[in-house]
Structure formats: structure tokens, C-alpha cells
Amino acid sequence: MDEITILQAEVLKTLASPRRLEILHVLADGPIEVGRLAKAIGATQPNVSQHLAMLRATGLVEAERDGREVRYRLADPDVMVACGIMRGVLERRLRRLADLSATSVGTTESLVPYQPPTNPRMTATR
């Protein structure tokens, strides 16, 4: 297995977290301090710091110091292009599944809510 494939797998593992994807989307608007980032996504600062550390370790995010402030930014804005492509793939997949579901229903009688079969012995004795 080549090195780039291994690196790709590491990055994709990092992107497997909805919270980290949310962080990337905020960072796509520009550099931001961890406290403001945490507030923007409704998370605690320690939690966001942990996610940022993982994003930095895979090279997706960089930190830049501005006096006492540390701002985080995307290392390469094209990561958002990749995320957008994957989102498009998933949206098309969901549409195909919805279309398959709609065509398999076919008739309105299959839309009737499920009712368990009645036991003839139980209804006859009542």
C-alpha cells in the first residue's frame, strides 16, 4: 500500500466526526479563536480544542498566533471542495434510495398502517 493511501485513510478517519466537519465549515469562513469557535457551534472550549488538535495532526487545520490569541484556519481551503463533493454524492444516493422506495410502494394500499393479524379464537370468545 502506498503512503498517500495511508495518509488519505487517516484524513478520512478524522473527517468521520460530525463535530469536526462542523468545525471545518466554520473555519471555511476564515480564521477564528477557539472560544469564538466553541460558541459558534455550541460546544465547550476543551472539547473544541481536542477536535482542533486532531485536525491539526492530520494537517487540515493550522494555528496562527496573534499576540495572546491563537486563531485557527484551514490549512488548505480545498478540503471544503472535497467535503462538498462527498456531500453531493450522499445527496444523490439519498435521492436514488427515495426514488427506489417510492417506486417499490407502487400502490396506496401499502401505505395503510400495519395492523397485526387477529386471532380468530380470541375474538370469538369475547
Side-chain angles (χ1 to χ4, degrees):
M1 190 171 305
D2 64 347
E3 189 67 26
I4 194 75
T5 302
I6 294 167
L7 290 172
Q8 183 181 21
E10 288 176 17
V11 168
L12 291 173
K13 278 191 257 182
T14 301
L15 294 177
S17 163
R19 182 62 83 186
R20 287 192 285 275
L21 288 172
E22 187 177 26
I23 289 169
L24 290 178
H25 282 276
V26 172
L27 293 176
D29 292 333
I32 190 170
E33 301 83 15
V34 67
R36 286 182 53 219
L37 178 57
K39 188 173 182 176
I41 64 172
T44 65
Q45 189 168 332
N47 182 260
V48 171
S49 292
Q50 289 176 342
H51 287 295
L52 286 168
M54 294 185 76
L55 290 164
R56 285 182 70 192
T58 54
L60 295 171
V61 168
E62 295 174 339
E64 54 188 31
R65 185 167 291 281
D66 182 19
R68 290 180 39 192
E69 298 276 326
V70 177
R71 290 195 178 123
Y72 293 87
R73 64 181 178 84
L74 295 176
D76 187 337
D78 278 349
V79 72
M80 299 313 297
V81 174
C83 287
I85 290 169
M86 180 52 67
R87 188 177 190 93
V89 167
L90 295 171
E91 287 171 349
R92 288 187 297 278
R93 179 174 181 238
L94 288 174
R95 277 196 298 275
R96 283 193 306 272
L97 290 172
D99 290 346
L100 282 174
S101 177
T103 57
S104 69
V105 169
T107 64
T108 57
E109 64 187 74
S110 59
L111 297 176
V112 175
Y114 172 76
Q115 293 181 345
T118 58
N119 184 335
R121 283 190 232 167
M122 292 187 76
T123 56
T125 58
R126 287 189 179 172

